[in-house]
């Protein structure tokens, strides 16, 4: 990431088991060319030794507010002025509470008050602590004070709980830092191509239950849809992301709605339809569901060698919105195919009355489900004619930016009236 060369990142580390991830983040930042200094709280040192960060960054670790050896005892001011960005990971519930109250009772909180640099927080804590009203109140206060907050990831936690509160992976944190340096003021830039647009996206798989413990689904990770949502927000759009069951953090500036089944996804899309300019259907929606969901776990019977399930068709979310008679948004679909990719995509575009479609070959292991990269063909129609453009292999976030610029340009040519 050339955009990080010579950038000065002050990494703040507060108490939490996730502090081990910050050590890897420090290594990634140094490899990317950034200059990194680390400030640790007393709680952080219970999980990771300062010597670890010193070895990874090549700089001494700072942990004392009153340090006689640091610029005549005013080292915190020097550090505050030095940083281009203060990035705190993990940000514990305690640290968030102290920052929200404006306290400066250790080196890290004092730096946050003294620095002219932006301060980004990556919270990590037990799911109960994260969802507690006090933490959510502090979250709102911090946003009002100008702190930038990254949503925590969901999943299994060190304590054994399941839920939101995990620190995102170091690679994701690195990407957020790189994004800041690429365009630190872009969300306030009135010249952004997506400014004023309202975009609704779907992402991830759906799950169709068979009984209380089983379901039908697919391998979609949701990464492409989340990358599109992130890129759309970067480009100035107001973004709603309707997500199936995935383990991904909500991109900054994106409003997320979590659903499970195809029917729930359709209902959420229809609720947002009247306030949507562009609808991008990236989710891998199950085509069928069982006709009747069993109330109890289905048991294998003695001697049973096969089981028959009666499936019924799920609603076609994209076609429903694309053929609606009122409040029809500009509709873009995805065609994830394993053969004759472009032919199938073009047929889908015609059959579902779409404005554009993005086709990709999921049989290619470099770009299949779960990959961080993709390679697609953008197909659209204009004045009755079909056009297509192949976009080469790239990271999903870079590809998303390219695709959205094409979609915005195509949308701007449409003489549509929207509320």
């Amino acid at each position: 990431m050339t955009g990080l060369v010579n950038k000065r990142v002050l990494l703040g580390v507060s108490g939490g088991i996730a502090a081990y991830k910050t050590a890897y983040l420090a290594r990634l930042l140094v490899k990317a060319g950034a200059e990194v200094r680390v400030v640790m709280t007393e709680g952080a040192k219970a999980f990771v030794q300062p010597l670890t960060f010193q070895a990874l960054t090549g700089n001494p670790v700072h942990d004392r507010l009153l340090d006689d050896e640091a610029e005549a005892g005013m080292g915190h001011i020097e550090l505050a002025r030095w940083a281009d960005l203060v990035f705190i990971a993990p940000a514990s519930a305690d640290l968030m509470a102290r920052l929200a109250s404006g306290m400066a009772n250790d080196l890290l909180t004092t730096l946050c008050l003294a620095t002219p640099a932006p301060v980004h927080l990556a919270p990590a804590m037990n799911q109960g602590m994260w969802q507690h009203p006090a933490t959510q109140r502090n979250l709102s206060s911090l946003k009002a004070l100008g702190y930038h907050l990254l949503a925590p990831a969901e999943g299994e936690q060190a304590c054994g709980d399941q839920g939101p509160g995990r620190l995102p992976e170091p690679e994701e944190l690195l990407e957020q830092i790189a994004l800041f340096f690429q365009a630190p003021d872009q969300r306030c830039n009135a010249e952004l191509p997506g400014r004023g647009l309202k975009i609704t996206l779907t992402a991830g798989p759906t799950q169709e239950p068979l009984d209380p413990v089983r379901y039908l689904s697919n391998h979609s990770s949701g990464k492409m849809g989340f990358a599109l949502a992130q890129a759309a927000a970067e480009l100035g759009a107001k973004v709603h992301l309707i997500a199936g069951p995935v383990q991904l953090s909500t991109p900054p500036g994106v409003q997320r709605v979590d659903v499970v089944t195809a029917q729930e996804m359709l209902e959420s899309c229809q609720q947002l339809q009247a306030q949507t300019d562009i609808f991008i259907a990236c989710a891998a929606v199950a085509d069928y569901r069982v006709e009747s969901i069993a109330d109890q776990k289905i048991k294998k019977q003695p001697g049973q060698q096969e089981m028959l399930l009666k499936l019924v068709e799920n609603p076609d979310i994209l076609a429903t919105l694309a053929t609606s008679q009122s409040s029809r948004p500009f509709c873009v679909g995805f065609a994830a195919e394993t053969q004759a990719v472009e032919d199938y995509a073009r047929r889908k575009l015609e059959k579902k009355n779409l404005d554009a479609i993005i086709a990709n070959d999921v049989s290619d292991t470099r770009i299949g489900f779960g990959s961080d990269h993709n390679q697609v063909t953008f197909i659209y129609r204009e004045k009755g004619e079909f056009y297509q453009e192949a976009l080469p292999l790239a990271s999903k976030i870079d590809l998303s930016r390219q695709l959205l610029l094409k979609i915005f340009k195509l949308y701007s040519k449409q003489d549509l009236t929207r509320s």
Side-chain angles (χ1 to χ4, degrees):
M1 293 187 178
T2 57
L4 290 174
V5 174
N6 297 325
K7 301 300 183 184
R8 296 184 291 191
V9 180
L10 195 155
L11 271 183
V13 190
S14 65
I17 186 61
Y20 78 92
K21 290 185 179 181
T22 314
Y24 187 48
L25 173 61
R27 178 175 180 271
L28 293 176
L29 284 166
V30 171
K31 286 182 66 177
E35 185 177 352
V36 181
R37 298 188 185 182
V38 176
V39 173
M40 302 181 73
T41 66
E42 287 300 313
K45 292 191 292 183
F47 293 93
V48 180
Q49 291 296 310
L51 186 60
T52 300
F53 285 104
Q54 180 173 323
L56 291 169
T57 65
N59 290 313
V61 173
H62 305 272
D63 57 10
R64 287 187 294 167
L65 177 58
L66 302 176
D67 187 347
D68 294 339
E69 297 179 2
E71 202 172 288
M74 297 296 288
H76 61 287
I77 299 299
E78 186 273 333
L79 276 174
R81 293 171 179 164
W82 172 86
D84 294 322
L85 171 68
V86 177
F87 193 91
I88 302 177
S92 66
D94 173 73
L95 180 72
M96 290 173 60
R98 289 189 286 130
L99 289 175
S101 299
M103 295 179 67
N105 58 346
D106 64 5
L107 177 57
L108 186 53
T109 51
T110 301
L111 280 169
C112 289
L113 289 182
T115 185
V119 181
H120 290 216
L121 307 177
M125 63 198 72
N126 168 266
Q127 58 85 25
M129 296 173 70
W130 171 253
Q131 298 180 92
H132 193 281
T135 303
Q136 292 302 306
R137 180 193 63 212
N138 292 335
L139 182 68
S140 298
S141 298
L142 289 166
K143 289 179 179 178
L145 289 169
Y147 291 92
H148 302 263
L149 286 110
L150 280 67
E154 296 192 24
E156 185 176 357
Q157 301 184 318
C159 60
D161 282 2
Q162 289 276 349
R166 287 171 54 92
L167 186 68
E169 296 306 309
E171 293 83 359
E172 294 180 55
L173 298 176
L174 179 70
E175 190 171 280
Q176 292 296 324
I177 294 171
L179 176 61
F180 163 76
F181 284 115
Q182 287 169 14
D185 298 317
Q186 61 180 315
R187 286 189 176 82
C188 298
N189 186 349
E191 301 303 318
L192 287 172
R195 191 76 172 177
L197 289 177
K198 293 166 286 189
I199 299 177
T200 298
L201 300 105
T202 63
T206 60
Q207 293 179 355
E208 307 300 332
L210 306 178
D211 61 22
V213 297
R214 301 181 180 93
Y215 56 81
L216 297 173
S217 191
N218 57 66
H219 295 295
S220 174
S221 66
K223 288 183 177 180
M224 190 69 213
F226 274 64
L228 280 163
Q230 176 183 322
E234 290 173 15
L235 294 170
K238 179 180 180 181
V239 183
H240 284 91
L241 174 62
I242 301 171
V246 295
Q247 300 297 320
L248 296 173
S249 301
T250 306
V254 172
Q255 297 185 53
R256 176 173 174 174
V257 178
D258 288 312
V259 298
V260 176
T261 67
Q263 185 61 44
E264 291 172 353
M265 186 171 282
L266 172 62
E267 291 170 0
S268 294
C269 290
Q270 289 177 319
Q271 289 171 6
L272 291 167
Q273 182 175 341
Q275 51 184 297
T276 298
D277 297 317
I278 299 173
F279 176 65
I280 304 176
C282 194
V285 182
D287 292 323
Y288 295 91
R289 67 183 186 277
V290 292
E291 183 179 50
S292 179
I293 302 170
D295 294 330
Q296 303 296 328
K297 179 182 176 182
I298 300 171
K299 296 289 187 180
K300 180 180 178 181
Q301 301 303 315
Q304 182 182 11
Q305 296 183 339
E306 63 179 25
M307 180 175 69
L308 299 178
L309 295 174
K310 185 174 181 180
L311 303 180
V312 295
E313 189 175 15
N314 261 330
D316 190 320
I317 298 170
L318 181 55
T320 300
L321 269 67
T323 58
S324 58
Q325 299 301 308
S326 62
S327 301
R328 180 195 180 277
F330 184 89
C331 291
V332 181
F334 266 76
E337 304 290 348
T338 57
Q339 59 180 334
V341 175
E342 293 171 7
D343 289 340
Y344 280 123
R346 185 173 294 192
R347 292 179 201 172
K348 185 175 180 180
L349 186 151
E350 291 187 276
K351 180 181 178 182
K352 298 192 178 186
N353 189 40
L354 308 182
D355 298 289
I357 195 163
I358 300 161
N360 66 309
D361 184 354
V362 292
S363 68
D364 187 337
T365 55
R366 299 173 305 157
I367 59 174
F369 290 127
S371 172
D372 292 322
H373 293 77
N374 210 344
Q375 179 176 331
V376 303
T377 300
F378 183 63
I379 304 172
Y380 63 97
R381 57 181 174 182
E382 193 173 10
K383 297 180 180 178
E385 297 292 330
F386 288 91
Y387 302 89
Q388 66 183 54
E389 181 179 351
L391 278 68
L393 182 69
S395 70
K396 287 183 174 177
I397 186 63
D398 287 340
L399 196 61
S400 294
R401 295 180 184 119
Q402 295 178 54
L403 285 168
L404 285 166
L405 291 176
K406 295 181 185 300
I407 291 169
F408 293 165
K409 183 177 180 180
L410 196 59
Y411 170 80
S412 68
K413 295 180 179 179
Q414 308 297 310
D415 186 19
L416 302 175
T417 303
R418 286 176 168 79
S419 58

